[in-house]
Amino acid sequence: MARYIFITGGVVSSLGKGLMAASLAALLQARGFRVRIRKFDPYLNVDPGTMSPYQHGEVYVTDDGAETDLDLGHYERFTGVSARQSDNVTQGRVYQTIIQRERRGDYLGATVQVIPHVTDEIKAFALADSDDLDFVLCEIGGTVGDIESLPFMEAIRQLHNDLGRNRSIFVHVTLVPYIAAAGELKTKPTQHSVRELTSLGIQPDILLCRCEHPLPESERRKIALFCNVRPEAVIPALDASSIYAVPTQYHAEGLDDEVLRAFGIENAPAPRLDRWHDIMDRQQNPEGEVTIGVVGKYVGLPDAYKSLYEALTHGGFANRVKVNIKWLDAELFEEEGADIAARLEPMHGILVPGGFGVRGSEGKIASVKFARERNVPFFGICLGMQMACIEGARNTAGIANASTTEFGETSEPVVGLITEWMSKEGLQKRTAETDLGGTMRLGAYPAKLTGNSVVAGIYDATDISERHRHRYEVNAGYREPLEKGGLIFSGMSPDGTLPEIVERPDHPWFVGVQFHPELKSKPFDPHPLFASFIEAAVKQSRLV
Ligand code: GLN
């Protein structure tokens, strides 16, 4: 039966608990253990699907079609284990489930309460689907002391009792700030945070102390003494040069050893870290660099494009180059007299990412035109593919009014609402009135690629499966004029109705995909489309 590692955070948010969980899981996996990571989010949204990327960062989509927290992206990138719907639960979903049950009368007249009903539901979520695992890591979102995370704290406290001491441990991530005026690291916030945690009945086994300066042995002992943990279990976690350096850094500080010790596991094999050393070697010793311009809407908050950023970096690993990403606000391209060429000429590749709504769309379409005309490698993802089709329709197929119904009524709906598609659950139907939450075409769907196409060469396959998150689709009825204009439909849904990939074979590299390949890229297994796009950008960099 699986052992459980509960991960909480204290002092401040944004300490990188998700990365910590992902790195610890990677270290345990490197020792041969089977791992899975779960995230508990205390907010009341049922899932992050309807939340603004500005507020919450990217929505990470799983194979089974769940819209989840972006930390699940880290989990998957670091362990290679595909995340599932059952790996992310929000308080909103917990309450939704309970209230639906209450309305059905399932509680047989009982008063429905936070303890035990909400806590039981959280416990059931933590325990589900874990038979074939050695470790389940559960990350609790938020910071200790938040009102909304209390039911989760209570649930993991109970679970620790239910499971027994050698089946579960608590890791608490805290901050040890450096006060420049005093020239000292301060342990008091950590002491307070642990006191808060113990007042909830949770005694941490391991403290992971985020700090900007090395933690002196004296401070380590002080934290140990006040927080009732062994000095060796106070793990300093200095800021790392790259997120991919974190697993080896935590290993050097003894994190995985302490975790195994806390469980009483002796003689575990040493971790095989070659994969992480290779990634670091590629990152630290690049043989060149390229600059990619990402023309999008949420460019002020890089977390909004988290997986995209990582996938481009992985494409760099594959080619042993550093990828510089320039986030370009599409709206600026729409201003009177905007010199688009001047902004895009320094780019070795142009990428238009996924997005929603009309804002900035003309700027995106203008970037596609620039890339097409100037033979600059172009990658369009989801909305980016749709923009490439509209650009192709307007400028190479003579359909001047080409648009998408997402932006309002149009006489030439080159992109329109998907009203019907086949999923594993059967025929899906949607109308313009359908709810916004959880109703897009979501998750993994297969596609068939044309045998001699550019993309079939890149994938080295004609049957692929990729993750989707869209409500609109390119209208296959426009295939003929678009193909006459050089934009070839080289990937379709297996029934031939939904365009999945378009490409321009007469261009150095021009590919648009309806899905999100960035979600499946791993540092140790870069996605072929990103590896190929960066390869094309390297060629471009030699030309300019
Ligand atoms: N807004 C577009 C759609 O819903 C594209 C979505 C996306 O880029 N994820 O189809």
Side-chain angles (χ1 to χ4, degrees):
M1 250 178 117
R3 293 177 170 88
Y4 279 77
I5 301 172
F6 299 113
I7 300 163
T8 54
V11 186
V12 291
S13 58
S14 305
L15 284 179
K17 275 186 311 219
L19 208 53
M20 182 272 155
S23 300
L24 175 56
L27 289 173
L28 293 169
Q29 192 186 46
R31 290 177 182 264
F33 294 110
R34 294 160 303 173
V35 297
R36 183 165 278 284
I37 319 176
R38 296 203 158 133
K39 174 92 193 265
F40 301 74
D41 279 310
Y43 50 75
L44 293 182
N45 302 63
V46 172
D47 62 41
T50 58
M51 286 160 85
S52 160
Y54 282 122
Q55 288 232 351
H56 193 262
E58 154 188 283
V59 173
Y60 189 79
V61 180
T62 59
D63 277 331
D64 59 0
E67 298 178 280
T68 69
D69 187 80
L70 58 76
D71 274 332
L72 273 81
H74 284 312
Y75 304 165
E76 202 173 312
R77 280 190 284 278
F78 276 61
T79 62
V81 177
S82 295
R84 302 183 199 143
Q85 167 86 69
S86 57
D87 293 329
N88 188 199
V89 79
T90 68
Q91 185 144 230
R93 187 180 295 279
V94 169
Y95 275 88
Q96 187 189 44
T97 312
I98 290 172
I99 291 168
Q100 278 168 353
R101 218 176 271 155
E102 187 273 338
R103 292 288 83 184
R104 280 200 308 264
D106 291 358
Y107 292 107
L108 305 175
T111 308
V112 183
Q113 294 179 300
V114 173
I115 305 172
H117 299 100
V118 172
T119 45
D120 278 355
E121 191 60 31
I122 296 169
K123 285 159 71 175
F125 161 76
L127 295 173
D129 246 352
S130 58
D131 291 346
D132 55 348
L133 298 169
D134 297 312
F135 290 99
V136 178
L137 291 84
C138 295
E139 179 194 344
I140 320 297
T143 307
V144 171
D146 294 348
I147 291 177
E148 42 176 35
S149 63
L150 283 174
F152 292 93
M153 296 297 174
E154 172 59 14
I156 61 174
R157 183 196 69 75
Q158 292 180 17
L159 268 175
H160 183 57
N161 269 340
D162 301 349
L163 291 164
R165 313 241 149 227
N166 56 358
R167 291 266 323 281
S168 67
I169 65 167
F170 295 107
V171 178
H172 188 53
V173 185
T174 81
L175 177 71
V176 182
Y178 179 76
I179 305 296
E184 281 176 13
L185 286 167
K186 291 294 179 190
T187 65
K188 196 74 82 189
T190 297
Q191 297 176 36
H192 281 300
S193 173
V194 171
R195 188 174 309 158
E196 184 83 37
L197 200 56
T198 49
S199 77
L200 301 173
I202 295 173
Q203 166 63 51
D205 297 280
I206 295 172
L207 296 176
L208 190 78
C209 302
R210 292 295 312 277
C211 40
E212 284 171 46
H213 291 270
L215 189 65
E217 192 53 34
S218 57
E219 301 310 289
R220 195 175 188 176
R221 295 199 169 275
K222 192 165 155 191
I223 294 173
L225 184 68
F226 280 100
C227 299
N228 203 19
V229 298
R230 298 165 56 250
E232 295 76 17
V234 178
I235 312 277
L238 268 119
D239 295 346
S241 57
S242 138
I243 58 169
Y244 299 118
V246 173
T248 48
Q249 185 174 320
Y250 284 0
H251 174 65
E253 296 289 1
L255 177 64
D256 45 327
D257 283 323
E258 275 308 311
V259 166
L260 295 175
R261 192 196 147 101
F263 280 112
I265 299 175
E266 286 165 16
N267 308 326
R272 299 198 43 168
L273 297 172
D274 340 357
R275 160 193 275 199
W276 296 100
H277 292 141
D278 178 51
I279 292 167
M280 285 317 296
D281 178 51
R282 286 168 188 269
Q283 188 155 47
Q284 285 167 353
N285 306 303
E287 289 163 8
E289 49 186 281
V290 294
T291 303
I292 302 296
V294 177
V295 185
K297 183 159 106 175
Y298 315 107
V299 291
L301 182 79
D303 261 5
Y305 299 115
K306 189 83 207 147
S307 295
L308 182 67
Y309 176 90
E310 298 305 334
L312 284 166
T313 307
H314 305 162
F317 296 166
N319 293 281
R320 288 198 167 269
V321 293
K322 177 169 189 280
V323 178
N324 302 309
I325 301 174
K326 291 272 177 280
W327 304 101
L328 304 169
D329 183 351
E331 272 185 284
L332 299 181
F333 288 23
E334 297 176 352
E335 285 173 359
E336 275 280 305
D339 191 349
I340 297 177
R343 286 176 203 260
L344 291 180
E345 265 159 11
M347 305 301 151
H348 305 129
I350 294 170
L351 192 152
V352 178
F356 294 84
V358 67
R359 208 145 57 75
S361 57
E362 289 304 324
K364 294 174 191 175
I365 292 169
S367 324
V368 180
K369 181 165 183 277
F370 176 90
R372 178 177 56 76
E373 290 178 344
R374 300 284 200 99
N375 281 331
V376 179
F378 171 81
F379 197 0
I381 294 180
C382 207
L383 185 70
M385 173 216 192
Q386 298 173 357
M387 296 300 102
C389 291
I390 292 173
E391 193 281 329
R394 288 185 191 170
N395 302 322
T396 67
I399 306 169
N401 293 328
S403 187
T404 159
T405 56
E406 181 173 1
F407 303 162
E409 260 182 52
T410 166
S411 56
E412 299 284 2
V414 170
V415 180
L417 189 73
I418 331 180
T419 49
E420 277 191 14
W421 74 91
M422 274 315 275
S423 79
K424 281 186 214 87
E425 287 77 40
L427 186 67
Q428 299 286 316
K429 288 190 187 226
R430 298 286 188 274
T431 69
E433 277 73 49
T434 309
D435 277 357
L436 290 183
T439 55
M440 282 187 262
R441 181 170 177 251
L442 286 165
Y445 282 91
K448 284 233 172 279
L449 313 188
T450 312
N452 54 3
S453 60
V454 174
V455 282
I458 293 172
Y459 274 97
D460 193 20
T462 50
D463 288 290
I464 62 163
S465 169
E466 292 281 5
R467 293 185 197 165
H468 295 70
R469 182 173 187 248
H470 63 127
R471 188 169 282 119
Y472 298 85
E473 58 164 325
V474 174
N475 190 338
Y478 285 92
R479 181 171 186 162
E480 210 185 295
L482 283 171
E483 291 202 332
K484 274 206 187 114
L487 190 65
I488 306 301
F489 288 37
S490 52
M492 299 292 289
S493 58
D495 63 2
T497 59
L498 296 183
E500 291 276 4
I501 305 182
V502 292
E503 64 184 42
R504 289 190 178 275
D506 61 353
H507 185 283
W509 207 97
F510 190 109
V511 175
V513 296
Q514 185 58 74
F515 44 82
H516 290 277
E518 71 274 23
L519 301 176
K520 293 204 346 186
S521 187
K522 318 273 186 309
F524 40 83
D525 186 14
H527 192 287
L529 285 172
F530 283 91
S532 176
F533 176 55
I534 297 299
E535 188 187 348
V538 172
K539 285 191 192 132
Q540 176 72 11
S541 73
R542 300 210 174 108
L543 294 178
V544 289

